[in-house]
Amino acid sequence: MMQAKRGWLRELPLHLMILPGLVLVIIYQYIPMLGIAIAFQKYIPALGITGSKWIGLGNFKYVMDMPDTFQVLWNTIYIAFMKIVIGLIVPIVISLLLNELRTKFVKRGVQTLIYLPHFLSWVILGGILVDILSPSNGIVNQLIAWFGWKPIFFLGDNRWFPFVLVISHQWKEFGFSTIVYLAALTSINPSLYEAAVMDGANRWKQTWHITLPGMMPIIILMATLSMGNILNAGFDQVFNLYSPSVYDSGDIIDTLVYRLGLLDAQFGVATAIGLFKSVVSFLFISVSYWLAYRFANYRIF
């Protein structure tokens, strides 16, 4: 009994350290969940949640009857899926290339350069992209004109806008993901490479038969965990880059919720869409954690 009490007293500082974070999570994450009730009401701010009329699934039916709902859902899944796939391929390739560099100064310098955009907000990067991709004086269109081609309105053309989102997202984030795979490379036993050299394996065969299999648990883990983001196409990025001319290809669930809820004051409809997204994302996250445990032996508890 005394030993258990001493153990509790020894762990008390750790519990006190986590207390402020726990309080913030409760205040900003759990208490706002009471607002889910708005999804089933014709919500009027002046009346509040208790005074607004309950309409059951009326908001969800309204969302399903909207002409652009399924287009927005498709845009979200399409953009998010491309980001997930390319977000796996590009960091793996870059980490393998960086692993081949033998000069530490060059290797660290490249790592710093590709990691730097991760710290910049989309407000800043959005302004940079608007200038770079400008059809009149942007550097990209100047290069296109130099080859004799017509300028492309990347941020105003539905054919190009999704690809601009995907490529610019990778420009910003692939450096952060690369660090994860570089850390995985350090766990590979160097004696495996020495044995491969003795057997006459070149660098390509060493990469194919040693490096990639050694990275596979992390690759599977990152792939399965990314499934939870299948409905997160990046509100910050899209909001800072899109315009009404590219709603057909760039409008996503989060931007639709923003317009309905904050601009049009349709709070019940916006909450219904947000609740739908949360439920679907929860299902994907649950499946992804099960897959991570099944194939990568990753557990959260």
Side-chain angles (χ1 to χ4, degrees), residues 204-237:
W204 167 249
K205 290 184 178 180
Q206 293 177 38
T207 300
W208 185 256
H209 295 288
I210 299 176
T211 306
L212 284 177
M215 296 173 62
M216 195 55 63
I218 298 298
I219 295 175
I220 294 175
L221 176 62
M222 298 294 287
T224 53
L225 294 182
S226 64
M227 288 180 58
N229 293 320
I230 195 65
L231 292 183
N232 291 323
F235 171 78
D236 292 345
Q237 179 193 22

Side-chain angles (χ1 to χ4, degrees), residues 277-299:
K277 176 190 172 185
S278 298
V279 171
V280 174
S281 297
F282 174 76
L283 294 176
F284 274 106
I285 290 173
S286 300
V287 172
S288 67
Y289 273 112
W290 180 83
L291 292 174
Y293 171 71
R294 177 68 175 80
F295 295 104
N297 198 29
Y298 174 83
R299 303 180 64 177

Side-chain angles (χ1 to χ4, degrees), residues 158-171:
N158 284 299
R159 296 173 300 176
W160 290 96
F161 188 71
F163 300 103
V164 172
L165 293 177
V166 175
I167 294 173
S168 60
H169 173 79
Q170 294 310 313
W171 170 47

Side-chain angles (χ1 to χ4, degrees), residues 90-92 94-96 98 111 114 173-184:
V90 172
I92 293 172
I94 298 300
S95 62
L96 292 175
L98 287 175
Q111 283 180 291
I114 64 177
E173 299 295 346
F174 84 92
F176 179 81
S177 301
T178 300
I179 294 177
V180 176
Y181 295 111
L182 285 174

